[in-house]
Amino acid sequence: MTAGAPTRLYLGCYTAGSGCHGQGISVFERGEIDEPWRLEQVAGVSDPSFLALTEGAVHAVSETTAGRVVSFTVSAGQLVPASVAASGGSSPCHIALDPASGAIVVANYGAGTLAVLSADAFDEARVARVLPLPGGSGPVVDRQEGPHTHSVTATPWGTLLLADLGTDRLVEVRVDPITLEPHFVAVHPMPSGSGPRHLAWWGSSLLVAGELDGRVHVMSYTDGVLEVDYSVASYDVRVNHGTGEALLSHIEVYHERVYVAVRGRDTVAVLAKPESAAPETNRLTLVGEVPCGGRWPRHFAIAPSLEGADLYVANQMSDTVSILALDAITGIPRRAMSLIETGSPSCVVFA
């Protein structure tokens, strides 16, 4: 087995409650890296659209009107139900661990709130500490009528950044490690109509995937303020893909390259710095855009493989996870070499 190559993966999938085809959290395993993935278990949860792992536990948001956080422990390779808690708002779509406080943090998209909960999977009495985002709106009328928390990302200095797609802002919050109460730190504006969705750190720079404007925004942090240095398109308008829409979803950095999933075009874009660029032009540029191997790439994850690394893409509308090998030299994904069939996948997490 190649060092670091995963033998187990968890897939969050949209279910019948939202008109989709998944049955819950699907658990896949393989014995060796060159063996096919096999379905080992399906844990029934309504719309577990995003997952987070802590030691010995798997936590999922149930992206429903009621909003729930469902936790499982892992015993003998099986997910065992442990607890269910209110998520602190409607339509939770993202969940993560806050390294500074050790708490679970949840982005409630519909309600426009942040919720903080104990990471104890066995805590049946978990109570969400809820922080509503500041009011506001954006120019995209059907998507930005009010705050919509889309993701939560930790900063190197111990705070959290909430991507508010509805108001084109990053809201910075700190969680008290004793009480788990969240408190506002700052609000950082983004370009109008950008619709910030997912974030990733690239060295000291923050990369923000603009769901609504199709651009990656590169931000720097100075004296408590995050500002956009520049923005770069995630696709080439001269090349037609899919429906032509460009709704960004997940963004991730791997070996100095930036990968972005582009729904509508159904592609994965790759951005990098030119190797010979002068310091004043040393900016990210689009170096490749390839079909993702399915429809509506909602999320992806990168894992070591026999040839270097593979990109696993959750294609929500084609009921597949496509596996694309990354070129060892350019880092650009090749055509999908295999598929994992599963209903309406929305999130890929390796154990």
Side-chain angles (χ1 to χ4, degrees):
M1 177 66 69
T2 298
T7 57
R8 166 179 285 232
L9 62 83
Y10 301 106
L11 301 178
C13 304
Y14 280 105
T15 60
S18 56
C20 294
H21 308 128
Q23 298 180 345
I25 303 172
S26 296
V27 184
F28 284 81
E29 291 188 348
R30 63 183 177 185
E32 296 293 336
I33 194 169
D34 56 352
E35 291 181 4
W37 290 97
R38 62 184 184 274
L39 179 64
E40 291 293 319
Q41 181 188 6
V42 177
V45 180
S46 295
D47 291 332
S49 61
F50 215 89
L51 311 175
L53 273 57
T54 57
E55 186 173 355
V58 176
H59 309 270
V61 292
S62 177
E63 192 177 333
T64 59
T65 301
R68 295 287 183 267
V69 173
V70 184
S71 297
F72 298 83
T73 55
V74 182
S75 177
Q78 294 287 299
L79 294 184
V80 180
S83 62
V84 179
S87 71
S90 61
S91 303
C93 65
H94 191 264
I95 185 169
L97 178 70
D98 174 22
S101 66
I104 290 290
V105 288
V106 179
N108 292 295
Y109 180 87
T113 62
L114 167 75
V116 183
L117 301 92
S118 162
D120 183 357
F122 289 107
D123 187 357
E124 291 283 357
R126 277 193 294 183
V127 176
R129 286 78 166 174
V130 181
L131 184 67
L133 270 60
S137 61
V140 183
V141 177
D142 61 337
R143 297 293 307 278
Q144 295 186 307
E145 80 292 346
H148 289 303
T149 326
H150 218 312
S151 65
V152 188
T153 303
T155 70
W157 51 90
T159 62
L160 298 171
L161 291 172
L162 318 181
D164 184 356
L165 181 145
T167 69
D168 296 321
R169 294 181 294 199
L170 303 182
V171 179
E172 190 171 358
V173 169
R174 187 182 302 276
V175 176
D176 186 291
I178 305 300
T179 66
L180 301 189
E181 290 289 342
H183 303 281
F184 286 118
V185 174
V187 175
H188 308 284
M190 292 202 62
S192 179
S194 57
R197 180 183 174 104
H198 277 197
L199 286 61
W201 289 100
W202 181 50
S204 60
S205 296
L206 179 68
L207 307 180
V208 183
E211 174 174 343
L212 303 182
D213 68 359
R215 301 181 70 82
V216 172
H217 303 276
V218 183
M219 307 184 74
S220 60
Y221 182 78
T222 306
D223 297 329
V225 177
L226 274 166
E227 292 184 313
V228 176
D229 291 332
Y230 62 95
S231 302
V232 57
S234 61
Y235 60 96
D236 187 341
V237 295
R238 299 168 296 180
V239 180
N240 293 323
H241 285 288
T243 65
E245 291 181 288
L247 298 171
L248 305 193
S249 58
H250 189 57
I251 184 169
E252 193 164 318
V253 177
Y254 185 78
H255 287 187
E256 292 303 312
R257 295 179 179 88
V258 179
Y259 297 86
V260 191
V262 188
R263 294 169 299 167
R265 291 177 67 86
D266 295 336
T267 59
V268 174
V270 184
L271 295 87
K273 282 186 175 182
E275 292 184 3
S276 59
E280 63 273 13
T281 59
N282 195 20
R283 295 183 167 192
L284 281 180
T285 59
L286 181 67
V287 297
E289 184 190 10
V290 300
C292 67
R295 291 180 55 220
W296 213 249
R298 190 175 186 91
H299 185 253
F300 63 83
I302 301 173
S305 70
L306 286 173
E307 296 184 359
D310 291 339
L311 187 75
Y312 289 68
V313 186
N315 299 304
Q316 180 185 340
M317 291 187 181
S318 56
D319 297 331
T320 58
V321 173
S322 53
I323 304 174
L324 294 77
L326 300 184
D327 186 276
I329 297 175
T330 66
I332 296 174
R334 304 172 191 152
R335 283 188 173 273
M337 57 186 181
S338 61
L339 299 173
I340 300 171
E341 295 186 359
T342 188
S344 307
S346 58
C347 179
V348 183
V349 177
F350 296 109

